[in-house]
Amino acid sequence: MFDLIVKGGTLPDGRQADIGIKGATITAIEDLGTAEAGDVIDAAGDLVSPPFVDPHFHMDATLSYGKPRINASGTLLEGIGLWGELKQVMTQDEVVARALDYCDWAASLGLLAIRSHVDTCDDRLLGVEALLHVRDKVKDYIDLQLVAFPQDGFYRDPTARANTLRALDMGVDVVGGIPHFERTMEDGAASVRELCEIAAERGLPVDLHCDETDDPNSRHIETLAYETQRLGLQGRVAGSHLTSMHSMDNYYVSKLLPLIAEAEINAIPNPLINITLQGRHDTYPKRRGLTRVKEMLAMGINVGWGQDCVLDPWYSLGTGDMLDVAFMGLHVAQMTSPEEMKTCFDMVTTHNAKTMGLSNYGLKVGAKASLVVLDAGHPIEAVRSRANRLAVIAKGKVITRSARADAALNLPGRPDKVVRRHRA
Ligand code: FE2
């Protein structure tokens, strides 16, 4: 007897199996025949996937588009300035309300694990308090990890260092930083060193905004790989963005990639944001600014797509749908072979789960019963059509169920039929 059976679905690896759930745990993945259950979801012909995972987001800024004004130039630097203006006027209740609204969107789309940076350059730590509250509030359906992120520079902002340490004392999960925004390359490298030492002392992971610039000489990822090795942090460190790598000398990159692989650094490109923010100072040819995704994957580096922003000072669009992120990443990185397109799906599920260090993730007996039923036959079709979510199950609970978006067609000269809109 199960509490819930998801019947007849196709798993991302192509297997067909029923999934039996008891409480908050997957207890069977096999043909369950006529086994009884409190509830059954018919997933025959549908893709059943572990939930989507976003390893890079800014939940303190989300859904604030237009407040107090719009980013006119569309650049990263105006976005940072605009965020500084918003921080002066926002309230804790407002941050909580926006974050919870975003978590509603995320849950409805099967996005059930999110790593969000939270700005620590604020003596009140208003955003930190707000997101710690939200982390607790959503814990039954979303695993929310918080990164202490000194947006205005760990050294460049006079109180950022102290406030970042305070945020970690308050229970923020991950050490963040922004070395390319420090005053000098030397300060940037020093910040990487100290932030990694703080993480080693406290037993925490590291996730830095690293080299988010078009400057081919911005090479903090090299320092991050070195410090990761020196302090024994292998597997616990992520480099977010890494866009300078797009513009680096090829010979240098041939030395750099093995160092990143050796340090087991997880890479997080954010294609929606980097395709809009990078190359803004170029005329033509205009660099596209995405890091070297295929080359890192070929080196065995764990790479996963991040969302970064939805409706905030840096990005005026976004839905919270990780399939949008995978779709954009596939295009910008030109990952068009069948294997590469499938990898793009894996990058927003299993690869990102590895980056976040999620335990009990995935479709396996004993794992947490969190999964998504998609109106698609396989992962590539899910990315192509940004498939509807037919059901989302979080820790054993069905949190949303929707009907298929079929269209009944009655066209002159065509036979009447029902079209399953996104199926090929
Ligand atoms: Fe970011």
Side-chain angles (χ1 to χ4, degrees):
M1 178 74 181
F2 296 93
D3 296 321
L4 174 66
I5 291 177
V6 179
K7 193 123 193 81
T10 303
L11 311 190
D13 63 9
R15 276 182 298 156
Q16 294 210 329
D18 304 331
I19 297 178
I21 293 168
K22 282 184 193 167
T25 306
I26 294 174
T27 54
I29 301 186
E30 58 192 61
D31 182 353
L32 293 173
T34 55
E36 285 185 23
D39 192 5
V40 175
I41 290 177
D42 176 14
D46 299 328
L47 177 64
V48 179
S49 167
F52 296 107
V53 180
D54 179 9
H56 191 111
F57 196 62
H58 293 265
M59 205 175 276
D60 47 359
T62 197
L63 307 190
S64 68
Y65 179 67
K67 293 179 189 170
R69 61 182 177 82
I70 285 166
N71 181 340
S73 68
T75 60
L76 172 65
L77 293 179
E78 183 174 345
I80 293 174
L82 181 51
W83 170 238
E85 292 173 36
L86 178 59
K87 274 198 289 184
Q88 306 296 319
V89 295
M90 71 188 192
T91 67
Q92 192 167 319
D93 287 350
E94 182 219 332
V95 177
V96 169
R98 287 194 279 100
L100 286 175
D101 281 349
Y102 181 77
C103 287
D104 291 349
W105 292 17
S108 76
L109 292 163
L111 170 51
L112 302 183
I114 301 172
R115 175 182 278 182
S116 173
H117 295 255
V118 54
D119 192 352
T120 54
C121 292
D122 163 26
D123 290 341
R124 301 168 300 167
L125 290 182
L126 180 148
V128 172
E129 283 188 358
L131 292 195
L132 284 170
H133 173 71
V134 170
R135 184 180 70 181
D136 187 54
K137 189 102 177 151
V138 303
K139 67 177 187 302
D140 289 339
Y141 51 98
I142 289 178
D143 291 315
L144 177 58
Q145 272 182 10
L146 299 178
V147 186
F149 175 50
Q151 169 78 74
D152 300 325
F154 187 64
Y155 296 139
R156 186 169 169 179
D157 179 88
T159 54
R161 186 180 176 284
N163 287 332
T164 301
L165 293 172
R166 269 177 61 213
L168 294 170
D169 290 342
M170 288 162 68
V172 170
D173 309 278
V174 181
V175 179
I178 185 164
H180 55 275
F181 196 69
E182 302 294 349
R183 285 194 173 85
T184 63
M185 214 56 97
E186 289 74 19
D187 269 8
S191 79
V192 173
R193 189 174 313 119
E194 185 174 0
L195 290 163
C196 287
E197 286 171 354
I198 290 166
E201 272 163 32
R202 293 175 178 244
L204 297 177
V206 177
D207 189 335
L208 304 187
H209 282 65
C210 198
D211 301 324
E212 189 183 6
T213 146
D214 296 317
D215 175 3
N217 296 314
S218 184
R219 293 173 172 187
H220 297 300
I221 181 60
E222 179 186 272
T223 309
L224 185 60
Y226 176 81
E227 294 299 330
T228 299
Q229 287 278 24
R230 181 175 73 85
L231 295 162
L233 297 173
Q234 290 90 337
R236 280 163 49 189
V237 175
S240 285
H241 296 291
L242 305 175
T243 53
S244 68
M245 202 190 294
H246 184 99
S247 302
M248 283 173 183
D249 171 72
N250 287 335
Y251 179 82
Y252 174 71
V253 172
S254 76
K255 179 196 170 197
L256 177 66
L257 293 185
L259 298 176
I260 298 173
E262 185 183 55
E264 297 171 40
I265 288 182
N266 302 287
I268 309 173
N270 298 286
L272 294 169
I273 305 313
N274 291 134
I275 200 64
T276 50
L277 291 183
Q278 305 312 129
R280 288 278 181 156
H281 294 77
D282 293 356
T283 54
Y284 288 94
K286 196 184 280 287
R287 288 169 292 172
R288 309 313 291 148
L290 196 75
T291 192
R292 303 195 190 198
V293 174
K294 287 208 268 197
E295 293 76 7
M296 282 196 281
L297 287 166
M299 286 296 304
I301 296 165
N302 183 48
V303 188
W305 303 120
Q307 176 111 226
D308 205 1
C309 301
V310 169
L311 292 168
D312 71 8
W314 299 276
Y315 189 56
S316 49
L317 298 167
T319 61
D321 189 347
M322 293 308 290
L323 287 174
D324 280 347
V325 178
F327 186 79
M328 177 62 86
L330 182 157
H331 284 77
V332 183
Q334 302 180 336
M335 293 176 66
T336 49
S337 74
E339 295 75 22
E340 289 169 339
M341 290 194 286
K342 164 70 165 56
T343 297
C344 284
F345 185 88
D346 297 339
M347 287 168 74
V348 292
T349 51
T350 53
H351 291 211
N352 285 343
K354 184 176 180 194
T355 297
M356 284 184 63
L358 299 180
S359 57
N360 299 324
Y361 174 89
L363 298 184
K364 57 191 179 196
V365 172
K368 199 182 317 179
S370 293
L371 50 91
V372 188
V373 181
L374 291 146
D375 191 3
H378 49 78
I380 296 171
E381 189 174 52
V383 174
R384 181 183 65 79
S385 65
R386 274 82 81 223
N388 282 346
R389 265 99 303 194
L390 299 175
V392 176
I393 296 153
K395 301 183 185 179
K397 296 233 167 25
V398 181
I399 59 169
T400 179
R401 244 168 167 158
S402 2
R404 271 176 228 290
D406 294 347
L409 280 184
N410 182 1
L411 299 172
R414 297 282 297 158
D416 291 353
K417 64 177 176 182
V418 173
V419 175
R420 295 181 69 179
R421 282 186 191 161
H422 299 296
R423 294 289 185 94

